[in-house]
Amino acid sequence: MQRRTFLAGTGACLLAAPSIAAASTGRRFKIWRNGDVIGSHIMEAVGRDGQFEIEIEILIAVKVLGITAFRYELRNREVWKGGSIVSVDSKVHDDGDKEFAKVTAKNGALQVNGSRHSGEVSPDAVTTSYFAKPFLRRAPWISTQSGDPLDVSIAPVGGRAGWHQVTGGLRTTLGYDGNGEWTGCEFDAGGELATYDLEGPVGNIAKLWSGA
C-alpha cells in the first residue's frame, strides 16, 4: 500500500485539565475502511484567556491477516486567537517515517518549520485539521503532517447537504452541519474508501473556535 496515497485525506492526546473559568469540548471519530474500523480521530478543545487551544490525535492501524501492515500516528496541538493561528506543534509517525509541522505567528506572518517546508505563510492560512467550516473559505491550508502550504479548491457535493469536495493540494470530502461543526470525512485509502463516523462526545468545537 502506498502510504502517501493512503494518507491523502487525513489531513488530526488530551488537554491538561482546564481552569475553572475555561470552556472545554471534544469530538471523536471512528475511521472505517472496507468494513473494518482502522483507527480513531480524537479532538479535545478548550477556550481560555481569550484563546482557543485544541489537541488532536489520529491513530490508524491497517491489518492484513491479523498483522499490522500500516501504522500512522499524529499528535498535534494548535493555539488560535481571533480566528488566526498563534502556534501549531504537530508530530507524525508515518509507518516508520517521522514528520513534523511547527508554526508560529511572528511579525504579521506565519513562520513555518516543517519536515517538507520551511518559510513564511500568509496569516490568513488555516490547517488541515479543518474542524470548522470557515476553513473552506481560507487559503492556504498548512499540512499538519509536513508544514506544506497547500492550495486547494472547494466545491459543494451535489445532493449531499453540507458536504464539500476538496481538490488540489489535498483531495478529500468534508461534511459539516448547519452550525459549521465538522461531522465527517471521506478519502481514498489505498484504493478503498475510508470514512469517518462521528462517535462522540459531540461538542461545539467550531463555536468555541469562532468565539476566541
Side-chain angles (χ1 to χ4, degrees), residues 2 16 22 48 101 118 146 157:
Q2 295 291 325
R48 56 185 163 194
S118 294
S146 64
V157 177

Side-chain angles (χ1 to χ4, degrees), residues 90-199:
S90 183
K91 297 179 179 65
V92 174
H93 289 268
D94 179 2
D95 207 30
D97 292 339
K98 293 183 179 181
E99 298 210 61
F100 64 93
K102 293 182 182 291
V103 183
T104 304
K106 186 177 180 180
N107 298 327
L110 296 175
Q111 304 295 326
V112 179
N113 178 27
S115 52
R116 281 184 272 158
H117 177 83
S118 294
E120 192 173 278
V121 176
S122 164
D124 198 44
V126 292
T127 66
T128 51
S129 300
Y130 33 71
F131 48 77
K133 190 175 180 180
F135 281 32
L136 301 180
R137 301 191 297 268
R138 305 267 293 271
W141 287 10
I142 300 172
S143 168
T144 55
Q145 174 157 330
S146 64
D148 273 343
L150 306 174
D151 290 323
V152 297
S153 297
I154 313 294
V157 177
R160 300 181 67 187
W163 284 83
H164 301 264
Q165 185 72 50
V166 182
T167 56
L170 179 71
R171 300 187 67 86
T172 188
T173 306
L174 302 172
Y176 298 88
D177 66 17
N179 296 317
E181 301 288 346
W182 185 31
T183 59
C185 178
E186 298 175 353
F187 58 95
D188 180 82
E192 298 283 350
L193 182 67
T195 62
Y196 273 39
D197 181 20
L198 183 59
E199 186 180 16

